[in-house]
Structure formats: C-alpha cells, structure tokens
C-alpha cells in the first residue's frame, strides 16, 4: 500500500463522509455505466482504444490518499486500487504513438461529458492512478465507475470520474472548455499551492465555493437513487 503523505493543504476542512460531488449542471446526467469498458485515446495520431485486458496486464497498486475538493471539503484516507498512470502511459500508450508524437497535455473526458485537463508531467508523477476500486470494493457509480483518475495532489475537479476518453495533445491550443468555466479551471490545480482557479488568489475562491457545498451534495445525491448498479460480467 502506498500512502500519499501530503501536509494538510491550506483552506481545506475535513468531512466525515465522502459525498458524490461535481459540477451542478451535470449532476443529473444519465451516465451509461457498465462493467465492460474501453478507454479511447485521441490526438494527433490514429485513434485507438485500450481495453480492460490490456489494463489488467499492469501492476495493480493500492494508494491511500486524502481527497480535496476545490470547494474546501476534504475526505481523509480514501483507499484506491488500480494502475499507475505512468505505467499505463509508458507500457500501453507510448508504444502505440508515432515516434514523432509530441504530447504534453492530457484531456480527460467522462461518460457524463465532464472534461478536465492536466499536464502530462503531472500525471506521470508518483501517486497518480487510474482506479477501478475504492475502499476494497469495485468502484461504485457514486465515485466514478467503471474507472476514474485519482490525482491526490490536484483538486477533485481534475480527478475525472466515469473516465472514457483521453486526448493527448502537444499543448492547450485545441483545448476547449466544456463544463467548467475557464475561470474555474486552473491548468494545474495543485492543492498544496491553493491553485483553485484562474485570475484570483486561491483563498478568495474559498468564500465563493463554501456556501455551495450543502446544496451541491444534495443535488448529487438525488440521481444515486435511480442509478443502475454496475453490471457484473
Ligand atoms: N465525470 C465527472 N468527473 C468529476 C466530476 C464530475 O462532475 N463528473 N466532478 C469533479 C469534482 S468537482 C469533484 S470534487 C470530484 C468528486 O468526486 P466524488 O464524487 O467521488 O466525491 O469528481 C470530479 N470529477
Ligand atoms: Mo470539486
């Protein structure tokens, strides 16, 4: 078990539970979750897919890490299981890229159409996982089944749930926001540096976001009642 030992970041408050959370516009979006999945890789190369079998060839790792949402709530000690993003990239993706491919930015897209990006260098760091299990169980719909990105050094909004597609690009020139307004998506969003958003200092966002937590949690709980359980294969 790896443990991500970051100091407690500025402006965060511990929460006892781990709520379903996200951008309120898409709280009710119907996510077609199934246990059978592939990841689609797109960029300046021929699109290809990575299936479960290929992922399963990677070393399985466990990671205990605190989870920090940009709105200031944190959940301590989530225990994830899955595959290192660096192994995924180096062992599965890179061999399929043209040698001339120039990739520095990854764009993640979820089945609920949520989108977020991170520099490839941040994703290759220790403790970044593509997770399919949480706290000893198959990743539930609530936390992003069938696969999610776990990048504990970055705010929750970079931790893509229901991961379906990864774009690999030379830079951010072709990156178009979709769900997150530009001001809300810091290019790196590192928790330790309080990179909550753009244009304003991190601490200022605390006061804007904090009053929204309760309502957002409630809104995100509603679809859980009707969500399909993950199918077993
Ligand atoms: N696909 C998808 N991923 C997402 C989101 C979302 O709405 N859709 N919300 C992000 C935000 S803002 C947070 S804080 C975390 C919440 O993860 P949780 O629901 O497991 O607590 O997921 C992130 N990843
Ligand atoms: Mo968040």
């Amino acid at each position: 078990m790896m443990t991500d030992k970051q100091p407690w970041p500025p402006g965060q408050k511990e929460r006892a539970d781990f709520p379903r959370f996200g951008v309120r516009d898409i709280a009710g979006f119907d996510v077609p979750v199934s246990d059978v999945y592939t990841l689609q890789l797109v960029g300046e190369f021929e699109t290809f897919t990575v299936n479960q079998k290929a992922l399963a060839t990677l070393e399985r790792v466990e990671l205990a890490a605190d989870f920090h949402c940009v709105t200031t709530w944190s959940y301590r000690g989530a225990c994830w299981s899955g595959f290192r993003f660096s192994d995924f990239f180096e062992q599965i993706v890179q061999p399929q890229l043209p040698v001339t491919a120039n990739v520095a930015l990854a764009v993640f897209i979820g089945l609920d159409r949520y989108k977020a990006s991170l520099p490839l260098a941040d994703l290759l760091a220790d403790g970044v996982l593509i997770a399919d299990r949480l706290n000893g169980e198959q990743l539930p719909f609530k936390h992003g089944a069938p696969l999610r990105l776990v990048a504990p050094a970055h705010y929750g909004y970079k931790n893509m749930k229901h991961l379906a597609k990864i774009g690999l690009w030379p830079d951010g020139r072709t990156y178009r926001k979709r769900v997150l307004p530009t001001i809300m998506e810091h290019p790196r969003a590192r928790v330790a540096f309080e990179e909550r958003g753009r244009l304003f200092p991190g601490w200022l966002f605390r006061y804007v976001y904090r009053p929204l937590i309760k309502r957002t949690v409630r809104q995100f709980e509603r679809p859980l009642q009707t969500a399909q359980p993950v199918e077993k294969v």
Side-chain angles (χ1 to χ4, degrees):
M1 165 87 69
M2 299 184 287
T3 306
D4 182 72
K5 281 203 202 87
Q6 314 268 344
W8 194 255
Q12 294 299 116
K13 283 194 186 132
E14 184 176 350
R15 240 189 110 96
D17 65 334
F18 191 5
R20 178 171 186 254
F21 207 86
V23 180
R24 287 170 62 195
D25 284 359
I26 54 174
F29 194 84
D30 206 15
V31 184
V33 171
S34 146
D35 210 10
V36 188
Y37 56 82
T38 54
L39 284 177
Q40 193 180 27
L41 278 291
V42 299
E44 294 174 345
F45 47 84
E46 214 173 300
T47 297
F48 63 93
T49 57
V50 174
N51 63 21
Q52 275 165 294
K53 249 198 185 152
L55 269 186
T57 64
L58 300 175
E59 182 191 353
R60 178 169 286 279
V61 293
E62 252 109 66
L63 171 73
D66 301 334
F67 187 92
H68 306 290
C69 172
V70 72
T71 62
T72 72
W73 65 263
S74 295
Y75 175 69
R76 246 186 224 273
C79 186
W80 306 99
S81 172
F83 312 99
R84 285 188 194 91
F85 188 89
S86 59
D87 287 347
F88 164 73
F89 186 75
E90 285 155 18
Q91 295 176 37
I92 299 180
V93 176
Q94 222 163 19
Q96 299 189 62
L97 297 180
V99 282
T100 53
N102 168 16
V103 299
L105 184 82
V107 176
F108 295 95
I109 295 171
L111 293 167
D112 58 357
R113 75 191 189 90
Y114 183 81
K115 186 163 150 182
S117 70
L118 271 177
L120 185 64
D122 284 343
L123 292 159
L124 298 177
D126 269 353
V128 179
L129 256 55
I130 294 179
D132 61 354
R133 302 180 68 80
L134 170 64
N135 296 332
E137 296 186 1
Q138 190 171 13
L139 189 67
F141 169 81
K142 180 180 176 187
H143 293 297
L147 280 185
R148 87 175 294 168
L149 183 77
V150 175
H154 304 265
Y155 285 114
Y157 69 87
K158 300 288 192 181
N159 290 239
M160 178 62 60
K161 297 186 281 190
H162 316 297
L163 180 59
K165 191 165 160 181
I166 305 175
L168 296 171
W169 306 99
D171 50 48
R173 250 176 299 170
T174 57
Y175 183 62
R176 296 286 171 272
K177 71 169 189 82
R178 193 186 270 168
V179 177
L180 286 173
T182 304
I183 192 177
M184 287 168 68
E185 189 179 9
H186 188 283
R188 298 187 75 188
R190 287 170 301 173
V191 178
F193 298 92
E194 206 169 356
E195 294 169 337
R196 291 185 198 268
R198 281 186 225 253
L199 303 176
F200 297 101
W203 58 264
L204 200 62
F205 287 92
R206 297 180 200 170
Y207 303 98
V208 179
Y209 286 149
R210 230 172 240 156
L212 305 174
I213 297 176
K214 252 194 198 145
R215 247 180 302 163
T216 308
V217 169
R218 236 179 289 136
Q219 198 166 345
F220 269 85
E221 268 166 4
R222 242 170 274 146
L224 285 180
Q225 271 95 59
T226 53
Q228 294 297 312
V230 178
E231 283 170 39
K232 291 260 183 276
V233 279

